[in-house]
Every structure is written in structure tokens, then in C-alpha cells.
Amino acid sequence: MALSREQVAIRVAQELQDGYYVNLGIGIPTLVANYVPEGIEVMLQSENGLLGMGAYPSKEQVDADMINAGKETVTAATGAAIFNSADSFAMIRGGHVDLTVLGAFEVDQHGNIASWMIPKKLIKGMGGAMDLVAGAKNIIVTMTHASKHGDSKLLESCTLPLTGVNCVKKIVTDLAVLEVKDGAFHLLERAPGVSVDEIISKTAGKLLVDGDVPEMAL
């Protein structure tokens, strides 16, 4: 079966490494903060000016003044720093973010990402996405493999306005983990109970499958 939002976040959290500075985008990526593996320390950054973002607060911990870029209340980890958004974007543009995790409407087999605009629909705007995909050392996209209408979001070429070009390295969907390289999607893992054939049928771009594909360990 397809993964839940929480399960996608758990799988993405496995990509975190000790000492990483990580930016988490709005949506599924913010859930990653709840699943940082034991034994490692990472500093989670929110582009509105918080370095050291913790897990979501309990009712007793809620502080209306402590929010992330999506205006959700968050907690601050030990050693956190709070600063203005200009300094936050200087950190991003200076290449000091090791990994950014963000959602997308579409990703194509060349690593292009469309994540900020659907023509003729009211969208809040790009936010920090364009800076993040240009400045972060590594980029992971989280999204559903197909739209609610069944259309693939993993394409030969993006159809929507691009956020970044040739920048996406890895994708974690509700069906699979894929690597983007050499002009193709490479299937690394599949969700428990999901067949390779289903993933192939829901991937519009070039997909390469090499041997047996293991199930994700969640």
C-alpha cells in the first residue's frame, strides 16, 4: 500500500546525517522533524529565521510567537538561534545548508523541479524554494507519486513553471525512493506491498529498474 505522510517523513529522516544543517519545506517535509534518528544531531533551519527547529509542540509547549516558514507553531532545540530572514537567506545562498527537503508538483528525469505555481490558480508564491534549490548542497523531494486524478508527477519534462533546473538528486514518494541521474529515474526502493509494475505504470518519465528492488525499511 502507498505510504502515509508520516511514513514518507520517516523514510526521508533516514537520509539525515550527523552534523547536517537541514532546511525543511512546508507540508510533508516539516514532519521530518519528528523522526530524526536517535544518535545523530542535526540543525533544522526554517527560512523565516530559526536554526535549531525542534519537533512539533504539545499543547503545553505551544508558543504562538515560535513559528516556521509555514506559520505553524514549532519548538526550538537546545542550542537554537533566532535571527532575521536576511541572515537566514544569506545562510542558504552562501551554500551552508547541507540538505533541503521540499515538496513539488512535478519533477522530471533531468532533475528539474516545478513546485511553486499552477497557472490560473491562486498560489501563495515561491517562498524560499528558488534560493534553496540553487544554494543547498543536496535536495530531496517528497510528494505523492501521482495526482489525485492518477496522473504521474514524475515526468519526461516538467509542464509547469520551473523552480530549479538539474538540481533534484533524490525523490521519496508514497510508492518509491528514486534517484535522478543520467537523464532518468532510477528505482532504489519500493513501499512495502507496492509492486515494481505499479511504480512503472505511474511513472511517465524514463525509469530504470536494475534487478530486485527492496522494500523500504520503516
Side-chain angles (χ1 to χ4, degrees), residues 76 110 164 210 212:
H110 305 290
D210 185 13
D212 293 332

Side-chain angles (χ1 to χ4, degrees), residues 126-169:
M126 188 173 293
M130 182 175 282
D131 292 276
L132 285 162
V133 298
K137 298 173 184 175
N138 191 15
I139 298 164
I140 296 177
V141 167
T142 66
M143 61 182 187
T144 56
H145 209 95
S147 72
K148 61 183 178 181
H149 303 295
D151 299 320
S152 177
K153 295 183 179 182
L154 287 87
L155 307 175
E156 181 178 351
S157 296
C158 289
T159 64
L160 297 172
L162 297 182
T163 309
V165 176
N166 300 330
C167 56
V168 176
K169 305 287 181 64

Side-chain angles (χ1 to χ4, degrees), residues 29-102:
T30 57
L31 298 174
V32 175
N34 290 339
Y35 302 108
V36 176
E38 293 184 8
I40 71 170
E41 291 187 10
V42 296
M43 292 296 281
L44 303 178
Q45 190 234 25
S46 181
E47 63 258 35
N48 60 322
L50 172 59
L51 179 62
M53 185 167 56
Y56 280 111
S58 64
K59 290 183 179 179
E60 294 74 23
Q61 293 174 313
V62 169
D63 178 350
D65 292 323
M66 181 69 72
I67 61 172
N68 63 17
K71 299 181 176 62
E72 299 171 304
T73 54
V74 294
T75 60
T78 301
I82 297 172
F83 36 85
N84 66 40
S85 59
D87 290 331
S88 180
F89 276 88
M91 178 180 176
I92 294 167
R93 293 169 182 170
H96 304 295
V97 174
D98 297 297
L99 171 66
T100 187
V101 183
L102 72 165

Side-chain angles (χ1 to χ4, degrees), residues 3 7-8 10-12 14-15 145 170-179 185-196 199-200 203 207-218:
L3 300 182
Q7 288 174 315
V8 173
I10 289 170
R11 177 58 188 84
V12 172
Q14 296 174 17
E15 300 293 318
H145 209 95
K170 187 171 284 188
I171 306 162
V172 181
T173 76
D174 56 342
L175 301 182
V177 178
L178 307 103
E179 184 179 12
F185 299 110
H186 295 253
L187 183 57
L188 303 181
E189 301 174 20
R190 54 192 174 87
V194 173
S195 69
V196 171
I199 295 167
I200 291 172
T203 305
L207 176 64
L208 299 181
V209 181
D210 185 13
D212 293 332
V213 179
E215 290 189 346
M216 299 180 203
L218 300 172

Side-chain angles (χ1 to χ4, degrees), residues 105-106 114-124 160-161:
F105 299 131
E106 298 174 343
S115 69
W116 74 280
M117 180 183 179
I118 299 177
K120 298 182 181 180
K121 287 193 176 183
L122 181 62
I123 303 294
K124 291 183 179 180
L160 297 172

